[in-house]
Amino acid sequence: CSLLLAPCSLLLAPCSLQEVMELEKRFWSLVGNSTSGRIDLSIITPLVSPPLPTKLVPGLFKAFDENQDGHVDFKELACGVSMACRGPEMERQKFCFKVFDEDNDGVLNVTEVRRMVESMAEVAAQGGTPTSARRQGEGLVEQLLGEKEHLSLEDFLVWTVDNTLPKEVARLVFQVLNIAELSFICIT
């Protein structure tokens, strides 16, 4: 496992060779269904949305597409699934941060924070808590940014510790990847 998937070997260390082989089978199945012969946004979208809000799908794809070449190779898929499903809560939240970092600059600007809060409230509302989600969202952009122009990964991670909104997004990503038949590697 670790030889096949370095540098994410620390996250995938507990996986078995069988799990890697199953993920590879799923990868080639997805590639076989693609007109381009690659896993691109058009392949990922129907797998995850719904239930993932449509506006989050490009960010999810980008979080998998580490080298930003417009397609997800096997290593990127394995690392992304591992980070989103197998890693500890902090790794899962780092993955979610990447989903919201639209320009891939390692921080969330005001627009990205606003979209993140809106998306988190939408996800929470899907879970049956629309009123509390709206209340949590009110003033959250200002609370997260204060006088700053951006939200760093570190500040985001500190905020996620005691907040239910990011946990609900991470839980939904986990569930979506299970629905997309990546569950054999998502079992923790």
Side-chain angles (χ1 to χ4, degrees):
C1 179
S2 61
L3 293 175
L4 294 171
L5 301 173
C8 67
S9 59
L10 292 176
L11 294 175
L12 286 177
C15 70
S16 70
L17 183 57
Q18 181 64 32
E19 289 171 318
V20 173
M21 290 171 49
E22 290 297 320
L23 181 60
E24 187 173 20
K25 285 180 192 174
R26 182 64 174 140
F27 171 81
W28 288 112
S29 171
L30 293 172
V31 167
N33 291 329
S34 171
T35 56
S36 68
R38 297 177 170 190
I39 298 177
D40 54 24
L41 187 59
S42 68
I43 292 296
I44 296 292
T45 300
L47 291 174
V48 300
S49 182
L52 194 68
T54 305
K55 63 183 163 191
L56 290 182
V57 176
L60 178 72
F61 179 81
K62 189 182 57 51
F64 277 103
D65 186 14
E66 279 290 320
N67 63 5
Q68 303 301 303
D69 64 356
H71 70 275
V72 176
D73 61 33
F74 177 70
K75 182 177 172 183
E76 290 170 327
L77 180 67
C79 289
V81 168
S82 176
M83 198 170 178
C85 295
R86 280 196 167 227
E89 182 66 27
M90 183 170 43
E91 292 303 318
R92 294 176 191 206
Q93 290 301 334
K94 285 180 183 178
F95 184 84
C96 288
F97 182 88
K98 292 168 68 173
V99 170
F100 297 117
D101 185 11
E102 296 170 5
D103 58 9
N104 204 35
D105 64 354
V107 295
L108 302 182
N109 61 38
V110 176
T111 302
E112 291 168 332
V113 171
R114 188 169 289 113
R115 286 186 187 139
M116 175 190 75
V117 169
E118 291 168 1
S119 297
M120 287 181 170
E122 182 178 344
V123 167
Q126 286 178 1
T129 55
T131 305
S132 65
R134 276 195 295 272
R135 267 188 260 132
Q136 277 188 295
E138 292 172 9
L140 193 52
V141 173
E142 293 77 19
Q143 177 189 339
L144 286 169
L145 290 172
E147 298 295 319
K148 299 177 285 190
E149 295 180 10
H150 65 270
L151 180 67
S152 69
L153 173 60
E154 294 76 21
D155 290 340
F156 173 81
L157 291 174
V158 168
W159 173 69
T160 65
V161 171
D162 294 323
N163 197 295
T164 59
L165 289 176
K167 288 176 177 59
E168 290 188 41
V169 171
R171 186 174 25 256
L172 179 60
V173 168
F174 176 86
Q175 291 169 349
V176 161
L177 293 176
N178 276 287
I179 291 167
E181 298 179 10
L182 298 169
S183 58
F184 45 82
I185 200 164
C186 286
I187 298 171
T188 55

